[in-house]
Amino acid sequence: MRQRSNQPRRATIFDVAAEANVSRGTVSRFLNGEPYVSDSAREAIEKAIAKVGYVRNMAARNLASQRTRSVGLIVHEPHSVFLDDPNIGAILLGTNERLSEEDYQLVCLIIGSDRDSARVADFLRGGFVDGVIIVSAREYDPIALAISEIGLPAVFVGHPTTPYDIPFVGIDNRTAARDITHRLIDTGRQRIGMIAAALDRDSGTERLAGFQDALGAGFDPALVVDYPLYSHSTGVDGMRALLEREPLIDGVFAASDAIAAGAMEVLRESGRRVPVDVGIVGFDDSEWALRCQPLLSTVQQPADLLGREAASVVLDLVAGRPPANTGTLLPTEIAWRGSA
């Protein structure tokens, strides 16, 4: 004897049609946003949907259209950085806002290890998303190889070195780093060092290159320390290392605001006043910049707009429309505050 299920029966399109006293075809046209549905029928259908508790079966719809209406946001960072980095949060929110305008769902995929990379690649091969946006990709990133092999529509936030024809949305890190270092030099600093980070990706290498451009013949490689991550702990360790190498250091370019905040803590602990003894600048204009005392001079990076623009590009690719540009650089500005 068949057991009766305890689950309530799901309302169907036929229930909506019966309650609204219209045909099933009229309900279908209404749900698909098609014309030729009168105002009175539209009102009756809306009331019927609310009354019977109809929820559209998206799985069936997606199966028919061979679309998931989902886009993956792949963040190649350890979990700790993902949670602490305000830029990633802003990119995520900007991406989600743009996708939601087109009724697409955001699926967040975090790669913090090689095992994660393999797992995410398998997930993508399963066809669970229509396209992907890749944040913090490393040079010759293996996830880019997997995406290229799958043939999945994709866009980078940033511009990593890769042999694959994947469009990107980013900023001119090199020029921005050069400009803010010039501004630091103009305050009269003589011994300027840099706490660099993430040299395995384009943003890190370009910020270091911009710093070197600004200093020119005065660049001293001994006054550069580098670490894997844009993190507060990088700033703490890096500032201690710079003070050991050059006790008379009077200027610091930190590759991110989180790094600058960590560096400023060490300067205070060592009795050095910011900006009287040491001027310091950062990069991002994230929440970290406003937590610092004095407030941090930094490069304003439009993280939310990067997310929105990347989402627009991937939506075009999913729809079969070639993007207007395969590489888009958004403008940056300098926010000059009290730290330098």
Side-chain angles (χ1 to χ4, degrees):
M1 182 176 183
R2 181 178 298 174
Q3 291 183 338
R4 182 176 297 175
S5 170
N6 292 326
Q7 291 184 337
R9 187 181 73 85
R10 180 172 181 155
T12 68
I13 191 173
F14 296 102
D15 297 321
V16 175
E19 179 64 32
N21 196 28
V22 298
S23 70
R24 177 188 174 281
T26 301
V27 176
S28 180
R29 286 195 297 276
F30 169 82
L31 292 174
N32 290 321
E34 297 175 7
Y36 312 118
V37 179
S38 68
D39 291 341
S40 59
R42 188 179 303 277
E43 182 179 354
I45 292 169
E46 289 174 346
K47 289 180 179 178
I49 287 173
K51 183 173 181 179
V52 304
Y54 174 76
V55 178
R56 196 166 193 183
N57 188 339
M58 295 303 295
R61 179 188 178 192
N62 294 341
L63 183 64
S65 66
Q66 295 187 326
R67 291 277 176 85
T68 66
R69 299 198 70 79
S70 296
V71 167
L73 180 72
I74 300 174
V75 181
H76 199 155
E77 295 284 8
H79 294 181
S80 59
V81 174
F82 177 85
L83 294 172
D84 288 344
D85 190 332
N87 281 314
I88 293 175
I91 291 170
L92 187 152
L93 291 174
T95 300
N96 187 66
E97 183 181 67
R98 179 68 186 94
L99 292 177
S100 68
E101 292 170 1
E102 304 296 332
D103 293 325
Y104 267 73
Q105 180 62 45
L106 177 65
V107 178
C108 194
L109 304 165
I110 306 172
I111 297 179
S113 66
D114 290 341
R115 181 182 179 188
D116 287 342
S117 187
R119 173 181 53 79
V120 168
D122 285 343
F123 176 84
L124 298 177
R125 289 188 186 96
F128 297 106
V129 296
D130 296 332
V132 291
I133 298 166
I134 312 165
V135 180
S136 300
R138 273 54 174 170
E139 301 292 314
Y140 300 99
D141 200 318
I143 198 67
L145 169 61
I147 290 167
S148 180
E149 289 176 343
I150 297 165
L152 197 60
V155 58
F156 286 118
V157 174
H159 189 205
T161 300
T162 173
Y164 313 112
D165 188 21
I166 296 176
F168 71 91
V169 177
I171 61 170
D172 188 342
N173 283 279
R174 184 168 187 164
T175 297
R178 183 196 65 204
D179 290 349
I180 199 166
T181 303
H182 272 309
R183 189 83 177 260
L184 182 59
I185 294 169
D186 289 343
T187 64
R189 311 294 168 174
Q190 299 296 316
R191 295 293 286 161
I192 301 176
M194 178 178 179
I195 307 174
L199 298 184
D200 59 346
R201 66 189 90 162
D202 61 296
S203 60
T205 57
E206 289 177 4
R207 291 175 198 182
L208 175 56
F211 174 74
Q212 187 170 355
D213 291 344
L215 288 173
F219 173 74
D220 184 351
L223 292 185
V224 175
V225 293
D226 68 89
Y227 296 84
L229 301 175
Y230 294 121
S231 67
H232 183 272
S233 61
T234 288
V236 170
D237 295 340
M239 195 67 246
R240 287 174 180 159
L242 283 178
L243 288 173
E244 268 189 35
R245 295 184 185 187
E246 176 52 273
L248 298 180
I249 193 168
D250 62 359
V252 176
F253 171 41
S256 77
D257 294 346
I259 293 173
M264 289 173 73
E265 284 187 16
V266 172
L267 289 170
R268 279 194 299 271
E269 291 169 1
S270 64
R272 287 166 170 83
R273 297 165 297 172
V274 176
V276 178
D277 301 318
V278 181
I280 185 166
V281 297
F283 203 107
D284 292 332
D285 200 24
S286 66
E287 292 176 12
W288 282 106
L290 302 180
R291 295 178 197 169
C292 295
Q293 289 298 328
L295 299 181
L296 183 66
S297 295
T298 186
V299 173
Q300 292 180 331
Q301 178 174 200
D304 58 335
L305 294 180
L306 288 170
R308 281 192 62 89
E309 185 65 24
S312 293
V313 172
V314 83
L315 286 170
D316 281 344
L317 293 171
V318 168
R321 299 186 296 267
N325 296 299
T326 57
T328 302
L329 293 178
L330 301 184
T332 60
E333 295 181 4
I334 293 176
W336 199 252
R337 303 187 178 108
S339 68

